[in-house]
Amino acid sequence: MTGKATSEAPARGPGETASESADVGPPEPSGKVAAPESTGGDQAPKPQEPAPQAPAPAATKPAPPSEDVPSAPLLLAVEDVSESSVAVSWEPPERLGKLGFQGYVLELRREGASEWVPVNARPMMVTQQTVRNLALGDKFFVRVAAVNSAGSGPPAVLDQPVHIQETIEAPKIRVPRHLRQTYIRQVGETINLQIPFQGNPKPQASWTHNGHALDSQRVNVRTGDQDSILFIRSAQRSDSGCYELTAQLEGLEAKAAINVLVIEKPGCPGTIRLLDVWGCNAALEWTPPQDTGGTELLGYTVQKADKKTGQWFTVLERYHPTTCTVSDLIVGNSYSFRVFSENLCGLSESAAVTKELAHIQKTDTVAKPKSFVERDFSEAPSFTQPLADHTSTPGYSTQLFCSVRASPKPKIIWMKNKMDIQGDPRYRALSEQGVCTLEIRKPSPFDSGVYTCKAVNALGEAAVDCRLEVKGEG
């Protein structure tokens, strides 16, 4: 028996009469009396006495007993109200009556009117109903009654009228990502804060600077339907601080804070002093600048200049302490030093310069060479890589390799079968960086045998050998 229904608002005005719902009462008596039956056919008919008249029916219907009609529905409540509709719901009554249950009738009465106007022409078997096409600004009362064959029961009425009004959307402010951190601008640049917001109806937007009203001579504000823009054509250091946007709507409000920092180049450091000069080093000390430009310093830049050339060269960059030692100065030269301050805007316009020069003087030093014992690298020959046995094909040149280490450089002697082959045009011997190579040009089976490489110097000799096999054509 529960369900939902949607109906349009009745077209009647608040002063029009509602259609009456006929209550279905018990059947009325017909009011007729049956005539007595006739007896015998020969007897003359006796005059009939006038029949007694039936009692006249009552002028109005008797009210149905309270047990026959349903009781009032329970828990009538408003579920939702929009700009043009209202949804109400209720629970079935405790008693539906003895006769057949037909449904519910929902009625509206506009504020100031006396007539109740039914929303649905016939009872509906639902416990939730949405009334649409209502006019903005309407106020009306709502009641619902249960109906059965015996009639309509007592209605359930809302205590307060329903007001159809524009839906209120709480204001919201969406701060762009780049403004969620400190917004940094330089002196003279523009400040443009465009902050979107939401709300229905349009909320009232207002700005403050550090909790105070804006200076209308320097700050321009334009508020549209969906955003508010704060604009400063030429920023000054005094424009730094917290700008707060407030969106208000019928007791509801949203706030957003944007931190703005306006900076400029720092002042130059205070006095700089040359503390000491020793060897090729000079010690400096200076004081921090009085004005850092509205932001923290990134450090100091230290430069030096030779008196002869007058050209400045950077020694240290973004150096944080206020004392330093400049090293690797050239003997015989005189140097000046200067220091710049640095922040996000760059280096200071001017620098602190030392008044006196740092003279790097020559020192009378006598070089005392240390005694040096020359190491003897002499050694007898020794082969680090021996010869390897090799097989070759007739007519194709082949090479034998080995490596030797010795100091002084050894003499290399190649032999075949213990016979010296130096000077033979069929062989070419090479020795470079300790690598010994013997090239055999177009060998024949006759060139097969044992080859020996012998290294000789003043400290001794060493030899390695291998077997070369030149296979004849089969």
Side-chain angles (χ1 to χ4, degrees):
M1 189 164 56
T2 61
K4 299 181 181 179
T6 301
S7 303
E8 293 188 356
R12 301 179 182 86
E16 294 180 3
T17 305
S19 60
E20 298 179 358
S21 57
D23 294 339
V24 181
E28 297 181 1
S30 61
K32 296 181 181 180
V33 178
E37 296 180 358
S38 59
T39 59
D42 298 336
Q43 296 180 0
K46 296 180 179 180
Q48 295 183 357
E49 297 179 359
Q53 295 181 355
T60 58
K61 298 180 181 179
S66 60
E67 292 79 5
D68 293 342
V69 297
S71 59
L74 305 176
L75 303 178
L76 176 61
V78 176
E79 295 292 334
D80 183 38
V81 179
S82 68
E83 298 179 358
S84 61
S85 65
V86 59
V88 294
S89 66
W90 58 89
E91 295 294 332
E94 295 180 351
R95 187 183 67 256
L96 297 179
K98 296 180 179 180
L99 302 179
F101 181 71
Q102 296 179 350
Y104 302 94
V105 174
L106 182 67
E107 295 178 316
L108 305 181
R109 178 174 67 83
R110 301 184 187 276
E111 189 178 44
S114 59
E115 303 296 336
W116 288 92
V117 180
V119 175
N120 45 308
R122 293 178 298 175
M124 302 185 68
M125 300 292 287
V126 294
T127 58
Q128 183 173 355
Q129 193 163 354
T130 300
V131 183
R132 303 189 184 278
N133 299 329
L134 300 174
L136 195 64
D138 278 353
K139 285 187 178 181
F140 50 83
F141 292 90
V142 179
R143 73 179 185 182
V144 63
V147 179
N148 67 2
S149 298
S152 176
V157 186
L158 285 178
D159 296 335
Q160 299 294 330
V162 178
H163 188 194
I164 303 299
Q165 57 185 350
E166 189 175 9
T167 302
I168 298 177
E169 179 184 353
K172 295 181 181 179
I173 299 177
R174 298 182 301 152
V175 179
R177 184 181 299 274
H178 71 281
L179 294 179
R180 296 175 189 174
Q181 301 176 352
T182 301
Y183 183 60
I184 300 176
R185 306 299 291 170
Q186 295 187 24
V187 171
E189 294 182 342
T190 60
I191 295 177
N192 189 7
L193 306 179
Q194 182 176 5
I195 311 299
F197 60 79
Q198 296 176 342
N200 188 28
K202 175 187 172 182
Q204 296 293 326
S206 61
W207 287 86
T208 60
H209 178 211
N210 294 331
H212 303 286
L214 299 178
D215 182 4
S216 58
Q217 299 295 327
R218 301 193 61 258
V219 183
N220 297 319
V221 174
R222 183 189 65 79
T223 300
D225 294 336
Q226 298 180 344
D227 60 9
S228 183
I229 300 175
L230 183 146
F231 180 78
I232 301 177
R233 185 173 301 278
S234 180
Q236 298 179 2
R237 293 274 293 278
S238 59
D239 295 324
S240 298
C242 178
Y243 290 84
E244 187 174 67
L245 172 63
T246 302
Q248 295 180 333
L249 177 60
E250 296 188 9
L252 303 174
E253 69 175 14
K255 294 185 176 181
I258 297 94
N259 293 315
V260 176
L261 179 62
V262 181
I263 62 176
E264 60 183 343
K265 292 183 178 181
C268 71
T271 58
I272 180 172
R273 293 190 305 130
L274 183 62
L275 296 180
D276 192 12
V277 178
W278 74 98
C280 297
N281 309 296
L284 305 174
E285 183 183 39
W286 61 90
T287 56
Q290 295 182 354
D291 183 13
T292 62
T295 183
E296 63 180 7
L297 293 178
L298 298 179
Y300 301 96
T301 296
V302 181
Q303 295 181 342
K304 66 179 180 180
D306 183 6
K307 182 180 178 181
K308 296 179 181 179
T309 62
Q311 296 181 352
W312 292 97
F313 297 93
T314 299
V315 178
L316 299 170
E317 287 184 308
R318 295 193 175 181
Y319 182 76
H320 290 278
T322 56
T323 60
C324 74
T325 298
V326 181
S327 304
D328 299 329
L329 301 176
I330 299 176
V331 175
N333 290 350
S334 298
Y335 290 91
S336 295
F337 301 94
R338 67 182 183 182
V339 179
F340 292 89
S341 305
E342 184 179 3
N343 64 6
L344 289 174
C345 293
L347 297 177
S348 56
E349 296 291 345
S350 59
V353 186
T354 54
K355 295 180 180 180
E356 64 270 19
L357 297 176
H359 302 285
I360 309 302
Q361 299 178 355
K362 297 179 180 180
T363 57
D364 297 332
T365 57
V366 179
K368 294 181 180 180
K370 295 182 179 181
S371 59
F372 177 73
V373 179
E374 186 177 359
R375 182 179 176 184
D376 186 9
F377 292 95
S378 301
E379 63 174 318
S382 63
F383 283 90
T384 58
Q385 179 66 37
L387 293 172
D389 292 342
H390 194 69
T391 302
S392 180
T393 302
Y396 293 92
S397 297
T398 188
Q399 292 178 335
L400 304 179
F401 299 94
C402 64
S403 59
V404 64
R405 183 177 65 188
S407 180
K409 184 178 180 180
K411 179 182 179 182
I412 305 300
I413 303 173
W414 285 94
M415 294 180 292
K416 174 189 173 186
N417 297 330
K418 306 298 183 181
M419 298 295 293
D420 191 351
I421 56 176
Q422 300 291 332
D424 192 327
R426 291 183 302 164
Y427 304 98
R428 186 174 68 162
L430 302 174
S431 178
E432 184 177 359
Q433 300 294 326
V435 178
C436 303
T437 305
L438 178 65
E439 181 181 358
I440 305 171
R441 300 174 178 176
K442 297 182 180 181
S444 63
F446 172 77
D447 293 314
S448 299
V450 177
Y451 286 82
T452 302
C453 180
K454 186 176 181 181
V456 181
N457 70 359
L459 299 179
E461 63 180 40
V464 291
D465 54 22
C466 69
R467 178 173 294 279
L468 174 65
E469 182 179 359
V470 180
K471 294 184 179 182
E473 296 181 0

